[in-house]
Amino acid sequence: MRTWLVVLGGVGLLISAAAGSSLAYEGAAVAEKGRVSGIVKAAGKPPAPKPIEVNKDQATCGKSQPAESLILGAGNSVKNAVIRLTNISKGKPLDTAAKVMLDQAKCRFVPHVVIVPVGATLEIKNSDPITHNVHTFSIENDPINKAQPKTVPIIPTKFTAPEIVKTQCDIHKWMGTWIVAADHPYYAVTDDKGQFKLADVPPGTYQMEIWHETLGKMTKEVTVKANAEASVSVELKK
Ligand SMILES: [Cu+2]
């Protein structure tokens, strides 16, 4: 019996490695820690999406909701862009014991982009007195499509492979979020000034992917030196 368990465990690891990125990631103590800081901006002047009219559950949801598909700040800075290193194979350990919260509050997913380590728990919460629905459109991970009435305050969810997963509530069509399942800790989301930071990065030259739901994605090379900060400025063109 013990032999079988070991064999099955090995097969499981092989399968999850094949479904995820091509590089297996190894967590270890980082002796020389570099950093990457940066800002993401939009090229040109992309139009801001209009607020969305609410046609149901107005007592909880209000009469309109802000569109979150493109949020620009000063100087065309872009909120909610996802940054990740795509070719890092070794660095600080991935926190697979983490519990990350994704709330549904006043008929919005909060936050609009959430990073959860592969293997960790995403606690999908309903803070509203009405029923929501959590529907993920994933390819690498098993999709979820679950109603969440107020009697089910938390749906714990795990992801097995790295993926940016479009997620929505089918009851309230404006409710959308992006769940970023991360296979290593070097992921970040830009804040409302378009800024991000990656800490404890081992020295090296990396490919960095910058993705935004409306503006698309691009890659950029970044070289990180020991005990120093590499500064990156990125312009996303639609
Ligand atoms: Cu909903």
Side-chain angles (χ1 to χ4, degrees), residues 110-166:
V110 183
H112 183 63
V113 177
V114 62
I115 295 172
V116 59
V118 166
T121 303
L122 182 68
E123 297 194 323
I124 304 174
K125 185 178 181 191
N126 181 4
S127 294
D128 288 336
I130 57 172
T131 297
H132 290 299
N133 155 271
V134 180
H135 189 177
T136 64
F137 294 81
S138 53
I139 295 162
E140 304 290 347
N141 293 275
D142 290 339
I144 309 159
N145 190 358
K146 289 180 181 171
Q148 189 169 20
K150 65 176 182 177
T151 50
V152 182
I154 301 271
I155 298 176
T157 307
K158 290 192 180 195
F159 294 84
T160 55
E163 186 176 7
I164 298 178
V165 180
K166 179 180 163 65

Side-chain angles (χ1 to χ4, degrees), residues 37-194:
S37 71
I39 184 162
V40 178
K41 294 184 173 185
K45 283 258 175 218
K50 294 194 174 92
I52 301 158
E53 205 172 304
V54 168
N55 54 8
K56 58 162 59 161
D57 292 323
Q58 287 183 341
T60 303
C61 304
K63 289 186 175 166
S64 80
Q65 288 281 338
E68 296 177 288
S69 56
L70 180 62
I71 301 173
L72 298 178
N76 262 3
S77 59
V78 178
K79 188 181 181 182
N80 288 331
V82 176
I83 315 300
R84 67 178 180 119
L85 302 182
T86 56
N87 63 337
I88 189 162
S89 57
K90 194 172 180 181
K92 63 182 169 182
L94 186 65
D95 186 5
T96 55
K99 286 188 176 172
V100 179
M101 180 72 75
L102 173 62
D103 198 6
Q104 294 163 97
K106 297 203 164 96
C107 308
R108 283 167 71 185
F109 284 103
V110 183
H112 183 63
V113 177
V114 62
I115 295 172
V116 59
V118 166
T121 303
L122 182 68
E123 297 194 323
I124 304 174
K125 185 178 181 191
N126 181 4
S127 294
D128 288 336
I130 57 172
T131 297
H132 290 299
N133 155 271
V134 180
H135 189 177
T136 64
F137 294 81
S138 53
I139 295 162
E140 304 290 347
N141 293 275
D142 290 339
I144 309 159
N145 190 358
K146 289 180 181 171
Q148 189 169 20
K150 65 176 182 177
T151 50
V152 182
I154 301 271
I155 298 176
T157 307
K158 290 192 180 195
F159 294 84
T160 55
E163 186 176 7
I164 298 178
V165 180
K166 179 180 163 65
T167 304
Q168 69 184 39
C169 167
D170 292 336
I171 298 168
H172 307 103
K173 289 291 185 187
W174 64 86
M175 286 180 68
T177 184
W178 298 89
I179 300 169
V180 182
D183 56 341
H184 61 71
Y186 301 104
Y187 281 66
V189 178
T190 53
D191 63 16
D192 49 16
K193 290 179 177 164

